[in-house]
Amino acid sequence: MVRGARWQERLARVGIVGLAWLSLLVVVLPLGLVVWLSFFADEIPALPPAGYSLRWYRAALGLPQFASGFETSLIVAVMATTAGLLVSIPAALVLARGRFPGRSVIVQVLTAPLIVPAIVIGAGMYVAFVQAEVATGLELTGNAATLAAGHALLTIPWCLRLLLANLAGLDPATEEAALSLGARPFTAVRLITLPMVWPGVVAAALFSFVVSFSNLEISIFLVVPGETTLPIAIFQYLQWKMDPTVAAVSTLQIAIVGLGLLLTNRFVPLGRVL
Amino acid sequence: MAQVELAGLTKHYGAAAAVDDVTLVIEQGAFTVLLGPSGCGKTTTLRMVGGFIEPTAGRIRIGARDVTREPPWRRNIGLVFQNYALFPHLTVFENVAFGLRRRRVRDPDLTRRVTAALDLVRLGEFATRLPRAMSGGQQQRVAIARAVAIEPDVLLLDEPLSNLDAKLRHDVRAELAALQKRLGLTTVMVTHDQDEAMSLGQNLVVMSEGRVRQVGPPATIYRRPIDRFVAGFVGRGTFLAGTAQGDVFVTARGARIACVALNPAATVLLVRPEAVRLRPPDAGFPQAVVQSAVFAGAAHEVALRLDSGEVLQALASGDPSTGQCYGIEIEPTAPVGLAPEQERMA
């Protein structure tokens, strides 16, 4: 009996560890393949590669649509992240402790974009902007602010979810202690509450940035020719060519995001908040 | 330091009254304990004094000020919580300095007062630590230092010892009592632990179902409880049903217990365990048999069956064993006769 139980236990452990490695492989393998592919010398990727080269990196950096796409994506992501935090921090503070009528409705409305397909949001925003342009005569589409406004629909729910989860773990007594010691509510939030959920704020910013930076579905409705984001530039390039330039661009993108994560992790241990 | 007055203080949640018309004067400089079972309204009362719950009706005065509508940050109160509620990202020094900084106290005054507060709880050398690098007892002492550093008009303690283990609870309790006496702070503590309440409180306020049942020094509450609820919640003892006949209480089953100044309307008699003296069986006292005995350190807690069949709780020194026979002498000033009006309230 005992021996049998041990044997089963060992099998179960091997199974779990194996499953974990398999999942990791499924996640990492495509990334690894992209990185590998970016160094292939051939124009049409084939296995095994004829040789290795850095020419696709040179090609990628030389193509203006990637450089400008990268710049636009960066600007839009920063704006969308800022907008997401500006809306969701005050909202989360109120929603986390308040018990007032309509509370859950507000949470639902603010997080609803997560359950609407992004392509629908994009189409909806496009129609709305065009209608607004017609009505006001102002030129609204085709700039970074419009894109950021669209992306904010994704960053707000992400930020709100993360911040609410962080605030839920916070003992309200800590803030009450600050109030009893003479801090006005705004001071208590600034000096006590926000520093305590700081890791959550950083995680929210990071998520928002990545979500916006890599977004394709909403952007595709809101860009104009000549003013595109990096994912769209990649997408458009792929429609014509299959050479490893795209793999090189993707590898650069992975490296930048990875570097950002590593840097963030130095200041805020991400394992604790994600 | 100030006296705290509650007048008709009431808090309704929907139709239910959490606190129901509480009128109370909390003496300046005294240690007052709100005691009661969970849900009795003691914490709600404390939080209304702190300004975190708005009363439905009634007034709160701290000293000469009516603070009923004042927010917490203008009340000048020190607050200590069950789970310490220290600011985890600030050092011990900055935790204690927080209230002083809000009052625009600057160095060298600031450092002097923070150091003094930390010395008061014997944590002077921990000033640069972060709270998480300290034990629960130390953290609670930091919380106490933080609360007294602002020289509050009143110190509120919300079950401050409940999270500490038994040994530590005893130490922090003694420290709290000494500190309160030394500073002469008007202090209100909430607890459900009657031992804690009796050892710390100069005044006890026994509450149940949102109402104050009895207010008084611990000895008075213990010896002269006003009703069955208070008698049962504070201390232990036996409740015997029966009637008063002059200065003798006759139990339902016919046992006769002589009492001094017995309430003529009494229908229930409370006999505390220590009022029952055990005598040799042949000394001429009514006899009783040990039904059970539990060792409790200094004495045995015994259940004695009287000839009438009623069972009395008592304390026995020596080594009483089940079935042993004793004579019973009850200190005549000790039993408390409780009248039915008083009992019905319980």
Side-chain angles (χ1 to χ4, degrees), chain A residues 26-99:
Chain A
V26 167
V27 173
V28 172
L29 193 66
L31 296 179
L33 283 176
V34 166
V35 175
W36 189 29
L37 188 71
S38 71
F39 294 106
F40 281 20
D42 339 43
E43 185 162 355
I44 294 166
L47 284 174
Y52 293 98
S53 132
L54 286 175
R55 59 187 278 221
W56 306 118
Y57 285 90
R58 232 172 295 129
L61 294 173
L63 286 172
Q65 68 261 43
F66 288 142
S68 81
F70 179 81
E71 194 190 329
T72 308
S73 281
L74 203 64
I75 293 168
V76 169
V78 168
M79 286 169 74
T81 302
T82 310
L85 289 175
L86 284 180
V87 173
S88 64
I89 289 176
L93 286 171
V94 173
L95 293 168
R97 30 191 102 67
R99 265 190 289 158

Side-chain angles (χ1 to χ4, degrees), chain A:
Chain A
M1 277 301 282
V2 172
R3 184 171 296 176
R6 264 198 199 150
W7 179 83
Q8 285 168 349
E9 220 170 78
R10 201 171 303 161
L11 189 77
R13 199 174 308 144
V14 167
I16 287 168
V17 171
L19 205 65
W21 278 107
L22 187 71
S23 319
L24 195 64
L25 194 73
V26 167
V27 173
V28 172
L29 193 66
L31 296 179
L33 283 176
V34 166
V35 175
W36 189 29
L37 188 71
S38 71
F39 294 106
F40 281 20
D42 339 43
E43 185 162 355
I44 294 166
L47 284 174
Y52 293 98
S53 132
L54 286 175
R55 59 187 278 221
W56 306 118
Y57 285 90
R58 232 172 295 129
L61 294 173
L63 286 172
Q65 68 261 43
F66 288 142
S68 81
F70 179 81
E71 194 190 329
T72 308
S73 281
L74 203 64
I75 293 168
V76 169
V78 168
M79 286 169 74
T81 302
T82 310
L85 289 175
L86 284 180
V87 173
S88 64
I89 289 176
L93 286 171
V94 173
L95 293 168
R97 30 191 102 67
R99 265 190 289 158
F100 47 88
R103 182 190 173 280
S104 60
V105 174
I106 294 173
V107 175
Q108 291 307 322
V109 167
L110 285 176
T111 54
L114 284 186
I115 53 165
V116 178
I119 198 108
V120 175
I121 296 177
M125 298 248 354
Y126 176 68
V127 172
F129 275 122
V130 167
Q131 292 291 330
E133 276 185 341
V134 169
T136 62
L138 298 167
E139 197 173 311
L140 295 173
T141 53
N143 59 51
T146 311
L147 277 167
H151 289 188
L153 284 183
L154 295 181
T155 59
I156 290 169
W158 272 110
C159 289
L160 193 72
R161 279 271 174 243
L162 275 163
L163 289 173
L164 279 180
N166 261 261
L167 284 166
L170 215 65
D171 182 1
T174 317
E175 210 175 89
E176 288 174 2
L179 296 176
S180 78
L181 290 166
R184 288 160 177 282
F186 185 75
T187 313
V189 165
R190 183 170 58 87
L191 295 178
I192 303 302
T193 315
L194 277 184
M196 283 175 76
V197 294
W198 188 240
V201 174
V202 171
L206 204 72
F207 255 79
S208 300
F209 188 88
V210 171
V211 161
S212 165
F213 194 79
S214 60
N215 179 272
L216 180 70
E217 304 97 314
I218 294 181
S219 305
I220 210 155
F221 284 95
L222 301 177
V223 293
V224 290
E227 180 79 19
T228 63
T229 64
L230 186 59
I232 292 175
I234 294 172
F235 180 66
Q236 286 170 342
Y237 188 85
L238 270 177
Q239 287 179 315
W240 301 102
K241 281 188 174 178
M242 271 298 283
D243 69 36
T245 311
V246 165
V249 172
S250 304
T251 303
L252 287 174
Q253 201 179 335
I254 292 167
I256 288 167
V257 171
L259 204 68
L261 284 173
L262 281 175
L263 276 176
T264 315
N265 196 42
R266 278 194 71 93
F267 300 106
V268 183
L270 292 176
R272 287 233 303 267
V273 284
L274 296 184

Side-chain angles (χ1 to χ4, degrees), chain A residues 171 173-185 187-188 190-193 195-196, chain B residues 47 52 72-74 77 79 81 83 85-90 98-99 102-103 146-147 150:
Chain A
D171 182 1
T174 317
E175 210 175 89
E176 288 174 2
L179 296 176
S180 78
L181 290 166
R184 288 160 177 282
T187 313
R190 183 170 58 87
L191 295 178
I192 303 302
T193 315
M196 283 175 76
Chain B
R47 291 177 61 78
F52 297 107
W73 57 93
R74 280 203 220 108
I77 41 166
L79 200 48
F81 296 87
N83 45 8
L86 295 178
F87 309 133
H89 58 295
L90 298 181
F98 189 87
R102 304 285 78 70
R103 286 163 176 72
R146 181 177 68 178
I150 59 168

Side-chain angles (χ1 to χ4, degrees), chain B residues 241-245 248-257 262:
Chain B
T243 47
Q245 295 181 359
V248 174
F249 188 83
V250 182
T251 68
R253 292 187 179 179
R256 299 172 67 83
I257 297 168
L262 181 64

